[in-house]
Amino acid sequence: MKAATQTISASECLLRMYDEHHEIEDYQKGVPRWCTGCGDNAILTAVQRLCRDEGLLPEKTVFVSGIGCSSRLPHYMNTYGFHGIHGRALPVAEGIKLARPELDVFVNTGDGDCCSIGAAHWIHAIRYNMDLTMMLHDNQIYGLTKKQASPTSPIGTKSNTTPRGSYLEALNPLTVTLGISNVSFVAQVVDWIPEVLYQVVSSAFHHKGFSFIRIVQRCPEWLPKQMDPWMHDPQRILLLHHENGLEISPSLAKVYTKMEEHDPANMNRAREIASSDDPIPVGILYRDDDIPCYEDVRHDPRLRTAEMVKNGLNAELDKFTVWPEGATHV
Amino acid sequence: MQLGDNIKPNVSATNGNHVNRVSARLKEHIVEIISDSGEGAQKCGQSFGSIVAQMGHGVWTVEIIPAEIRPPARSVAGASGNRIRIGEKRVTNGGNETDLVVAFNEQVLLGRVRSNELKPGCTILLESMWRDDQNPSIKNSYIETYDQLVAAGYRVYEIPMEEECHKHVTDSRRGKNMFALGMLCSSYSLDLQIARNQVALTFGKKSAAVINTNIELLEAGFAWAEANLDFRYEIPSSKTTEPQIVVNGNTALALGVLASGMEICAMYPITPATSASHYLSDAFEKVGGIVHQAEDEIAACAFAIGASYAGKCTVTITSGPGYSLKQEAIGLAVMGEIPLVVVNVMRGGPSTGQPTKTEQGDLMTTIFGSHGDAPKVVIAPGTIEECFYSVITARKIAETFNMVVVILSDANLATSQQPFTRPTFDEAWMAPPIDQSAVPAGAKPYDWDPKTGLARRFIPGQPGGMHTLTGLAHDVNSHVAYDPEINQQGMRARSLKLAALQKTLMPPTVFGDPTGDLLVIGWGSTKGAIEEAVEEFREEGKRVSSLHLTFIQPMPPGIKEILAGFKKIITIENNWSDDPNDEIIDETNRRYSALAMLLRSRYLFDIDCWSECRGTPLKPNTVRRVILEALS
């Protein structure tokens, strides 16, 4: 169990943690209003399964998102959720985690939300290295605002804002992430291989630090054929496996025969792999378990008491106090 | 005033022969110390302020800050230093023009003269080394300026400060400020021992050798003035029986954050708000608090929102441009009903405006800011002491009403120092522990009370309280709502909370009689200057009173009754309003200052206004002039 409690009713919570068992249904809420065939559905299924398997307490779990199709995910989780404003999911999640390190905090974001309006936060989230699990739902198009080019749209993508095809080279979220100092966990997966999707989400959750997962996903409404070549040809997927990475099941290995044994400690090779979009590398590209987490570096585990505040305040006030003549003071 | 009897400087008398000193008893005086930046005039001025406070004088200090970190040496716009107003009684503002100035070069002095900051006939203690400078242009500029100042009637004393310091240290440029402090202590008949203690405190982090050298320089300055200056001032003091705190507004805000039991401050550096976070960064962690320097202003606000959502209440401290960037996130906190304290230390605007100068230009954007209808509480402290207590009040309101509370301070309060009674910590100031008890069955995350709009707060960790907070319009269950009725209901609830808070407020007190010929209304940092001018008129028998608003949204009850008691009402503010005498300004296009506009629309009184945005704190004399015009 990952969660540790330091709140007033800690003993009560600890007791409940081991007593309660939740089924997948306990983490489900409402009927997702995503389009049929949307990759978001697969991601939702994977995280609900993760919650069940890890026995996460719904009340101790928070899904944070920004704006976009991806960011509707917290609404379908029967946990705490925070569906905020465009691009700003990460700083909200960081605030939650710093204030309450015992909560399990997930971030769901899209390619526009993360790589465009929220790019500054994304880069700095990697630097902070807080113990968050971030899923970038990357469908290479703006969905909720109805088909505009995204920073990850491949060159030539026709959209409402690029009717003659997008003219800029796509941004590669993996190479960006791997280029930031303090990076601690980087993985990539595609929405149509649920077994690997689940394994990657699970590894990211267990990783202590900022886990970045780019999930290449389909948008059946605006780019319905975009991923077909990769879906229909398993040879265009490069499966990464390693004893410190993913285990590939025999049945999967039969289909996806293009594999590489990649040690996630190898940054140079990770960067090489990351730069490929055909075949799409799938698996854990990089991982460093030894980078300190921001909340551990910053957060003093002492419980704050009125006594502490009183003493702290008085010590500060002493520095600025003009005492009347004859007054005694400490 | 022309001073015909210009007292001649006494530069030659450096041999220790005591001159005859004329003692003058004063009710108050305004002193300035100015230098190029980096020469220590700030430190000298602050120490002087602390010493006179310890002597029992009323005091208000104002920082003089150039726009650049290191402006070129000897530049007219580069004056860096401090202005200290000393009084017999409590001093509530920086006052009018300066009576005595210590200047390290004639160019920075010229800047102060040109901006009309010096009183006619002002006493000037001027570093004289430039008279013999190797560089002829410096030498000539000095002599020319000196002659002009004398001709203009200023009492100029040329003082070889560096030369005197050289008798004690090799690098006199770094010690001149303490020499100047010593001269001032002598000029104002201050206790040298208190001054020594203050210097020891000021350099407390440095080695004993550094402290001793500075005390030596202080004593040298004192002795030199005793021997050479032909004047001495005495200001009676009235010592208080209670311990006093001497801090500026930003430190007071930071101490308030500490005292309120908040644990996280998220910020991004911006002038003039930053020093509050600097001070917190040092002081906060001792009690378990954290200052998070985010990647930008938006992130700082979103971070604060996340931390507040997770259980307590967090503060984000910023200034105008940063406040603009935070607007969208502030709207999210309003919509999600997340307690949040936002401090806006206003500076001159719009855009990057005047970073180091004061202005009250953000009132409208604070009340109406963020798109749509985003009701939030707005509090404007009027004194340094109120800066401290406003944070505690703000946190309490934020957590009680699940609202955003904005504290509007400004550069004037941020950098001014004034003693106030040392606060005594009260446990009730602190936030309650994070509630982790189960949410009662059937409770809904936005179960708005139909009468007050209030709903209980759900905090992550509470079993049974799981819901998704959203910035989208939502129903009582926090479900995204498209039903027009539900949106109307949510808006009503968020707005009603302001009225519910207003019902708990006390009516404000009129300064002066509750009825009369003229009522002057102000808000925020102009309080001291307005009340001082009003008091003067009252002593002259004029029927003038003033009203100072600390709560601006919601406004407290009772204001309408107060307004009804006066023949004429005018607001005085540090923001923009049209001058009705301008050629094309008339009743159909005149723009009123911010508070006047709010009061006119709320109370339907014909409230006049006068305002300025010169970047300087409002002077009592200015208020006096405006009142005279209004009375005529």
Side-chain angles (χ1 to χ4, degrees), chain B residues 147-190:
Chain B
D147 292 345
Q148 278 174 8
L149 292 168
V150 172
Y154 293 103
R155 290 172 55 182
V156 190
Y157 290 77
E158 290 188 280
I159 299 172
M161 295 186 226
E162 277 217 33
E163 194 184 315
E164 286 299 316
C165 290
H166 264 309
K167 296 175 181 170
H168 307 273
V169 286
T170 44
D171 182 5
S172 56
R173 197 171 174 271
R174 293 177 66 89
K176 206 155 43 167
N177 60 344
M178 289 298 118
F179 184 85
L181 182 62
M183 289 200 301
L184 288 174
C185 288
S186 162
S187 301
Y188 288 91
S189 318
L190 304 182

Side-chain angles (χ1 to χ4, degrees), chain B residues 387-399:
Chain B
C387 286
F388 175 81
Y389 289 103
S390 65
V391 185
I392 298 165
T393 310
R395 190 204 54 73
K396 277 202 168 295
I397 293 172
E399 289 208 308

Side-chain angles (χ1 to χ4, degrees), chain A residues 9 16 59 74 80-81 83 88 91 95-96 100 121 128 294 298 304 306 308 310 316 318 320-322 324-325, chain B residues 239 241 244 246 262-263 279 285 287 291-292 295 306 310 422 427 436 459-462 467-471:
Chain A
S9 51
R16 288 172 358 88
E59 67 268 22
Y80 278 89
H83 177 214
R88 320 297 171 197
I96 296 169
R100 301 278 302 280
H121 308 312
Y128 296 138
Y294 186 80
R298 299 305 314 273
R304 269 171 70 108
M308 275 176 72
K310 182 184 177 180
E316 291 304 314
D318 279 349
F320 310 109
T321 301
V322 173
E325 231 167 303
Chain B
K239 295 200 173 175
T241 50
Q244 305 279 303
V246 189
M262 282 195 252
E263 289 171 37
Y279 173 68
E285 298 203 1
V287 296
V291 174
H292 171 74
E295 58 271 22
R422 180 185 161 114
E427 228 173 277
Q436 294 290 270
I459 297 168
Q462 290 191 283
H467 69 285
T468 296
L469 180 144
T470 177

Side-chain angles (χ1 to χ4, degrees), chain A residues 34-43 69 139 191 217-221:
Chain A
W34 289 310
C35 307
T36 308
C38 173
D40 289 332
N41 293 293
I43 301 168
C69 295
N139 58 10
D191 80 79
Q217 70 164 100
R218 295 161 289 169
C219 175
E221 184 65 25

Side-chain angles (χ1 to χ4, degrees), chain A:
Chain A
M1 187 57 60
K2 204 181 175 202
T5 51
Q6 61 160 63
T7 52
I8 46 159
S9 51
S11 55
E12 183 195 345
C13 290
L14 280 168
L15 284 174
R16 288 172 358 88
M17 282 165 84
Y18 297 102
D19 287 351
E20 274 185 39
H21 175 73
H22 292 283
E23 290 302 331
I24 268 197
E25 296 75 35
D26 295 332
Y27 299 97
Q28 293 172 339
K29 187 172 75 182
V31 181
R33 290 163 71 130
W34 289 310
C35 307
T36 308
C38 173
D40 289 332
N41 293 293
I43 301 168
L44 179 66
T45 304
V47 294
Q48 284 172 340
R49 196 183 139 197
L50 175 86
C51 289
R52 192 266 319 267
D53 291 354
E54 301 298 333
L56 298 189
L57 289 178
E59 67 268 22
K60 293 265 177 197
T61 308
V62 189
F63 280 84
V64 185
S65 67
I67 293 297
C69 295
S70 63
S71 296
R72 292 298 175 107
L73 187 138
H75 285 285
Y76 310 129
M77 295 297 300
N78 189 27
T79 60
Y80 278 89
F82 193 114
H83 177 214
I85 44 179
H86 197 26
R88 320 297 171 197
L90 280 166
V92 169
E94 289 153 12
I96 296 169
K97 191 71 184 175
L98 189 68
R100 301 278 302 280
E102 78 276 17
L103 298 174
D104 285 315
V105 184
F106 297 83
V107 181
N108 292 85
T109 178
D111 36 318
D113 206 42
C114 168
C115 307
S116 203
I117 186 169
H121 308 312
W122 164 37
I123 285 167
H124 289 275
I126 299 163
R127 276 182 66 227
Y128 296 138
N129 192 39
M130 302 188 80
D131 190 12
L132 303 169
T133 305
M134 171 175 169
M135 287 159 262
L136 167 60
H137 303 215
D138 188 354
N139 58 10
Q140 305 174 350
I141 197 79
Y142 281 57
L144 209 58
T145 50
K146 300 185 178 173
K147 201 179 189 183
Q148 294 83 24
S150 128
T152 60
S153 298
I155 200 158
T157 304
K158 289 195 174 177
S159 77
N160 287 328
T161 47
T162 53
R164 283 171 289 280
S166 69
Y167 27 79
L168 292 175
E169 198 62 54
L171 179 147
N172 181 336
L174 290 182
T175 53
V176 172
T177 306
L178 286 164
I180 309 293
S181 57
N182 233 26
V183 58
S184 84
F185 183 101
V186 184
Q188 176 162 274
V189 67
V190 294
D191 80 79
W192 59 89
I193 315 180
E195 185 184 327
V196 180
L197 171 62
Y198 174 79
Q199 249 199 84
V200 164
V201 172
S202 174
S203 301
F205 170 75
H206 284 286
H207 173 75
K208 177 102 166 78
F210 184 73
S211 316
F212 176 86
I213 312 168
R214 180 196 186 198
I215 303 166
V216 176
Q217 70 164 100
R218 295 161 289 169
C219 175
E221 184 65 25
W222 306 125
L223 295 177
K225 307 261 178 239
Q226 183 91 338
M227 300 318 296
D228 281 0
W230 287 271
M231 274 186 74
H232 297 151
D233 181 1
Q235 285 300 304
R236 296 178 76 170
I237 298 287
L238 173 69
L239 268 190
L240 307 174
H241 66 97
H242 191 266
E243 56 179 353
N244 296 324
L246 292 188
E247 273 177 44
I248 304 299
S249 69
S251 58
L252 206 62
K254 269 187 202 161
V255 184
Y256 296 97
T257 51
K258 195 166 196 151
M259 286 203 268
E260 176 176 328
E261 187 172 0
H262 167 63
D263 181 355
N266 185 344
M267 172 64 93
N268 286 338
R269 182 62 193 145
R271 285 180 175 152
E272 284 164 17
I273 295 169
S275 62
S276 162
D277 52 16
D278 194 7
I280 295 176
V282 163
I284 299 169
L285 282 89
Y286 185 71
R287 166 187 224 155
D288 183 346
D289 295 323
D290 297 327
I291 297 175
C293 287
Y294 186 80
E295 64 272 28
D296 295 336
V297 175
R298 299 305 314 273
H299 210 281
D300 193 319
R302 289 179 303 183
L303 272 175
R304 269 171 70 108
T305 61
E307 195 63 21
M308 275 176 72
V309 173
K310 182 184 177 180
N311 294 339
L313 179 70
N314 282 336
E316 291 304 314
L317 291 177
D318 279 349
K319 294 181 187 170
F320 310 109
T321 301
V322 173
W323 298 94
E325 231 167 303
T328 49
H329 62 275
V330 205

